[in-house]
Amino acid sequence: MCIPCRNEAATISTIVTQIRTRLMDVPFPLVDELLVMDDGSVDTTAVVAADAGATVVRVSDMLPAAGPAGGKGNALWASVAASAGDIVVWCDGDLTSFTPAYVERLVAPFVLDDAVAFVKGFYERPLDAAGEGGGRNTELVARPLLSLFFAELASVRQPLGGEYAATRAVLEQLPFSTGYGVEIGLLIDAWQSVGAQRIVQVDLGVRRHRHQPLHDLAAQALEIQHAVLSRAGIDAALLASAPILRQPGRSPRSVNCGERPPLATLEDYRLRERP
């Protein structure tokens, strides 16, 4: 179980405590490892996660020979390197709706069918107290692009969702987009690698978390588009390696469209000591 975090002190302790008490410190544990991947937090995320019972790993400490990088996808890539389990389960660290059932439901398909390689969670995303809802980039960016280029995946209900699981054997063979294109990139790459018949969706109920303002979602949207278009055979010359987001009234800013190579191609990963 790996949880990428940056400044999630307000929520991470509750998530870790539930996993420890319900899925680990029990007669028949489901979770063998619980890693919180701290991606440069400046709050007390690392301290509260460790106090609650997680193993805290600094993302920047993993595979330094591969060079520096940042972003959510980079943290997920590092979590595969930091862990040892045959099944890797991810959930976001800002969830306020987390229950141990998320993990149980994501793991169940692997137990029931040895052929399953990739499991995506789906859920309802209700409005918050301010009337804001989730799923804007899913419906306005991800689903239209999948419909255009990867129609077989357009029926995936939450292609950008952060709660999913996969076998290590598959994850080791896939590149990881370093930014917010990671979820859709892994979905496409897993589909191309193992086929749709080995990808399963499971209902996680309701998901609540912190919503991003629209101007920040635009940066995520560009990273998502880059991940899809680069996998759709679009001429690489048309996709700048460091795209710039331009918005009226705001300074231009770079977005995170880097990519980490498949871990299986890195000697430092293949030779590392397993936990």
Side-chain angles (χ1 to χ4, degrees):
M1 183 79 200
C2 299
I3 308 173
C5 282
R6 175 178 292 174
N7 300 328
E8 305 295 357
T11 51
I12 190 59
S13 178
T14 299
I15 296 172
V16 169
T17 298
Q18 290 188 71
I19 296 170
R20 291 280 342 176
T21 57
R22 295 278 300 279
L23 302 176
M24 297 183 76
D25 300 332
V26 292
F28 301 100
L30 180 66
V31 174
D32 299 308
E33 301 172 274
L34 174 53
L35 305 183
V36 166
M37 305 300 298
D38 184 30
D39 192 19
S41 296
V42 296
D43 65 1
T44 59
T45 292
V47 173
V48 299
D51 287 347
T55 298
V56 178
V57 178
R58 290 197 306 175
V59 172
S60 59
D61 288 343
M62 297 308 305
L63 299 178
K72 182 184 181 181
N74 184 65
L76 297 184
W77 180 81
S79 75
V80 181
S83 60
D86 293 331
I87 298 169
V88 178
V89 179
W90 287 306
C91 78
D92 287 343
D94 65 344
L95 295 179
T96 58
S97 59
F98 178 85
T99 75
Y102 280 18
V103 183
E104 294 166 345
R105 294 176 185 178
L106 288 168
V107 171
F110 298 101
V111 178
L112 297 172
D113 185 351
D114 289 341
V116 171
F118 199 90
V119 177
K120 286 289 291 185
F122 67 87
Y123 29 70
E124 298 299 325
R125 303 185 70 177
L127 297 177
D128 63 18
E132 297 290 339
R136 288 165 286 177
N137 270 336
T138 294
E139 299 305 328
L140 299 176
V141 180
R143 203 170 311 286
L145 285 172
L146 290 176
S147 297
L148 282 172
F149 297 109
F150 303 99
E152 192 168 355
L153 295 175
S155 62
V156 175
R157 294 181 61 174
Q158 296 290 348
L160 306 181
E163 286 64 57
Y164 56 112
T167 64
R168 176 173 300 276
V170 169
L171 293 174
E172 289 175 334
Q173 306 300 321
L174 304 181
F176 279 60
S177 297
T178 50
Y180 282 102
V182 63
E183 271 86 22
I184 202 164
L186 286 175
L187 176 63
I188 294 168
D189 291 341
W191 170 68
Q192 293 180 326
S193 176
V194 304
Q197 72 279 3
R198 298 183 64 190
I199 298 176
V200 174
Q201 299 185 71
V202 295
D203 188 353
L204 302 183
V206 174
R207 184 185 197 269
R208 293 184 176 88
H209 70 126
R210 183 182 64 252
H211 296 303
Q212 299 285 346
L214 191 60
H215 61 82
D216 285 338
L217 283 181
Q220 294 183 18
L222 184 49
E223 294 171 14
I224 292 161
Q225 291 174 65
H226 189 282
V228 176
L229 294 176
S230 66
R231 287 162 171 78
I234 302 301
D235 187 348
L238 298 177
L239 298 173
S241 58
I244 303 297
L245 177 65
R246 295 174 172 84
Q247 297 169 293
R250 296 181 179 274
S251 299
R253 52 175 167 160
S254 297
V255 294
N256 189 346
C257 294
E259 191 166 272
R260 286 297 204 180
L263 286 163
T265 66
L266 300 181
E267 184 177 14
D268 285 357
Y269 174 77
R270 296 195 304 271
L271 299 179
R272 80 199 191 291
E273 293 186 8
R274 297 274 183 168

